[in-house]
Amino acid sequence: MNVGESAMAFTSKQRNLFPEGLSSFPSEYTKSSLGATSSTQSYCTAPASSTGSIISASIAIATRKRKPRYRDHGRVSTWIEGMRAASPPRVAILKTATCSGARKVLPDTQYNEWVAKHPSALATFESMMEAAKGKQMVLFLDYDGTLSPIVEDPDQAYMSEAMRAAVKEVAMNIPTAIISGRGRDKVYEFVQLAEIFYAGSHGMDIMGPAEACNGLKADGLKSKDEKGNEVVFFQPATEFLVMIDEVYKTLEHKTKNIVGAKVEHNKFCVSVHFRRVEEKNWQLLAEEVEFVIKQYPKLHVTQGRKVLEVRPTIHWDKGKAVEFLLKAFGLANPHNLLPVYIGDDQTDEDAFSVLNKEHIGYGILVSSAAKATGAAYSLKSPSEVPFTSSCRDMKC
């Protein structure tokens, strides 16, 4: 069975097909536990190509004439407000009571008050490392807004060479994974480091070296990359691939006349970017997303920093990806473990929640503005993230 040139290759051209003969995932990650209701496809079998009926349905949706239609304005408004809340505010003003009445609190003051509650990871790094003594550290990183700055064009979100070098140095000494909403292929295209695990589509597409730093073995379903290296992978939402592809094509068609709108196919989810769209048109773009998504009850929408993301409705997110990877590394004992998760977006809160629930590790939010978060610590911008290279002494 030759899977070496299949989709498990760490290249931008990989097709991501499953190896033949694999019929099940570890028992704790069954369909029922993930909340999937459809039984139309095996988790470990590559999906069949779109049938004529699916294509016909897609064309019918994409070409139907505009008609008056019901719109869930409440849901659309919630999405838009969620995106605004997840993005750094243009003007941050608070009112506090004083003897002379209300006063304005400038954004810098508000941020400083927030940092007092979520101290800088740079300032507290020594105490964090002191707590790590005798424990196995694991590093989890988001990509956009963490390893690269947020940019207008998501295709131009390149990481710096200094950042790449810092991540590589850490990965040579402690298990390291990047967990992103982007497609796994795209993240690898940006990062290009074979030493780390990549979890794309909010953790629904996980793959990495079967042997991590210093010989640490990763457990899971295995295949070979194009160079013959053994890799471990996990894809809990395979049955949704055809549906996600259909939604992507439909949204591309329906949003093509909205200036600045960009629809990105991330394999197991679809991202609709608002960053280049004038705010007066956000409502229109969100309504197009709402109209399409209501035809797919097995999908749902989450919001991030000027982005709406269409995702399968299964019990899986970045927090679940963290739990899975810790088990894959054989690091489930919380007494011997210190995971660190660094992220900047609302979707990273699921990972922070896992660390808080288990009372292990540190969540670090990258943000230049005060915002609600479950992270204990903060960094102001991606430029501060390379401090993690100091973790290199905490070896596997």
Side-chain angles (χ1 to χ4, degrees), residues 12-161:
S12 59
K13 297 180 180 180
Q14 59 192 334
R15 298 183 181 179
N16 299 295
L17 299 177
F18 283 97
E20 298 175 0
L22 295 175
S23 60
S24 65
F25 284 105
S27 59
E28 64 266 34
Y29 297 107
T30 61
K31 281 189 179 183
S32 59
S33 68
L34 294 170
T37 56
S38 171
S39 59
T40 58
Q41 199 150 5
S42 168
Y43 272 58
C44 290
T45 305
S49 59
S50 302
T51 63
S53 61
I54 292 175
I55 293 174
S56 299
S58 179
I59 293 174
I61 292 171
T63 59
R64 68 172 55 156
K65 294 181 180 179
R66 281 263 191 185
K67 295 179 181 179
R69 63 200 189 204
Y70 168 76
R71 290 169 176 164
D72 188 338
H73 291 290
R75 181 158 69 161
V76 168
S77 296
T78 298
W79 291 345
I80 292 175
E81 289 307 311
M83 283 192 296
R84 288 195 179 110
S87 305
R90 291 161 296 174
V91 179
I93 296 178
L94 296 177
K95 292 183 178 180
T96 57
T98 66
C99 57
S100 57
R103 67 179 177 85
K104 290 183 179 179
V105 179
L106 298 177
D108 282 350
T109 303
Q110 183 187 11
Y111 182 76
N112 290 338
E113 292 174 352
W114 180 78
V115 169
K117 298 177 181 178
H118 306 277
S120 167
L122 291 175
T124 56
F125 182 73
E126 288 188 10
S127 62
M128 292 169 65
M129 291 302 97
E130 185 66 25
K133 286 184 177 179
K135 296 186 177 182
Q136 171 63 66
M137 283 195 68
V138 185
L139 180 62
F140 299 101
L141 300 157
D142 186 18
Y143 184 76
D144 294 276
T146 300
L147 296 180
S148 76
I150 296 293
V151 294
E152 290 296 308
D153 183 355
D155 290 335
Q156 303 299 312
Y158 300 111
M159 69 190 303
S160 68
E161 287 302 322

Side-chain angles (χ1 to χ4, degrees), residues 210-231:
E211 185 172 314
C213 62
N214 296 339
L216 181 66
K217 304 289 186 181
D219 188 28
L221 298 177
K222 294 180 172 63
S223 182
K224 300 279 188 180
D225 67 14
E226 65 176 6
K227 296 181 180 179
N229 299 316
E230 193 171 44
V231 295

Side-chain angles (χ1 to χ4, degrees), residues 317-328:
D317 51 39
K318 290 185 176 182
K320 291 291 185 182
V322 167
E323 291 177 331
F324 174 83
L325 285 166
L326 290 177
K327 289 179 180 179

Side-chain angles (χ1 to χ4, degrees), residues 117-382:
K117 298 177 181 178
H118 306 277
S120 167
L122 291 175
T124 56
F125 182 73
E126 288 188 10
S127 62
M128 292 169 65
M129 291 302 97
E130 185 66 25
K133 286 184 177 179
K135 296 186 177 182
Q136 171 63 66
M137 283 195 68
V138 185
L139 180 62
F140 299 101
L141 300 157
D142 186 18
Y143 184 76
D144 294 276
T146 300
L147 296 180
S148 76
I150 296 293
V151 294
E152 290 296 308
D153 183 355
D155 290 335
Q156 303 299 312
Y158 300 111
M159 69 190 303
S160 68
E161 287 302 322
M163 184 72 79
R164 182 176 290 105
V167 174
K168 181 180 177 68
E169 188 173 7
V170 172
M172 296 299 289
N173 293 284
I174 65 174
T176 302
I178 294 176
I179 305 179
S180 172
R182 299 272 201 140
R184 173 168 55 81
D185 297 354
K186 187 66 177 179
V187 178
Y188 181 79
E189 202 174 297
F190 282 136
V191 180
Q192 297 182 18
L193 294 175
E195 297 87 354
I196 66 178
F197 264 73
Y198 294 86
S201 303
H202 300 285
M204 287 180 280
D205 187 8
I206 300 175
M207 193 168 78
E211 185 172 314
C213 62
N214 296 339
L216 181 66
K217 304 289 186 181
D219 188 28
L221 298 177
K222 294 180 172 63
S223 182
K224 300 279 188 180
D225 67 14
E226 65 176 6
K227 296 181 180 179
N229 299 316
E230 193 171 44
V231 295
V232 174
F233 67 93
F234 182 57
Q235 296 176 323
T238 308
E239 66 180 282
F240 293 91
L241 284 171
V242 173
M243 188 182 301
I244 289 292
D245 191 55
E246 184 178 337
V247 168
Y248 167 72
K249 292 173 182 176
T250 304
L251 283 171
E252 256 207 331
H253 174 79
K254 288 193 167 296
T255 62
K256 64 183 179 181
N257 294 323
I258 300 177
V259 177
K262 180 178 178 61
V263 182
E264 184 179 14
H265 198 320
N266 290 317
K267 190 170 182 178
F268 291 100
C269 60
V270 176
S271 299
V272 182
H273 296 278
F274 286 63
R275 193 163 298 279
R276 288 181 159 183
V277 178
E278 291 188 32
E279 197 162 337
K280 66 181 181 181
N281 292 326
W282 281 20
Q283 181 85 14
L284 175 61
L285 181 53
E287 286 177 351
E288 292 294 359
V289 175
E290 193 272 336
F291 176 68
V292 173
I293 195 64
K294 72 180 181 182
Q295 300 172 67
Y296 296 90
K298 293 180 182 178
L299 302 178
H300 72 289
V301 173
T302 59
Q303 61 271 355
R305 294 177 67 171
K306 297 184 181 178
V307 63
L308 291 180
E309 295 183 295
V310 181
R311 300 160 62 177
T313 302
I314 64 172
H315 299 155
W316 200 263
D317 51 39
K318 290 185 176 182
K320 291 291 185 182
V322 167
E323 291 177 331
F324 174 83
L325 285 166
L326 290 177
K327 289 179 180 179
F329 287 132
L331 302 174
N333 185 348
H335 300 295
N336 301 323
L337 185 64
L338 197 143
V340 175
Y341 189 106
I342 307 177
D344 76 302
D345 205 351
Q346 183 63 37
T347 57
D348 298 308
E349 294 297 326
D350 293 317
F352 298 150
S353 294
V354 167
L355 301 188
N356 293 338
K357 179 183 69 175
E358 300 296 334
H359 303 290
I360 57 172
Y362 302 115
I364 302 174
L365 181 71
V366 182
S367 179
S368 60
K371 62 171 73 172
T373 181
Y377 298 95
S378 66
L379 292 170
K380 195 165 188 176
S381 71

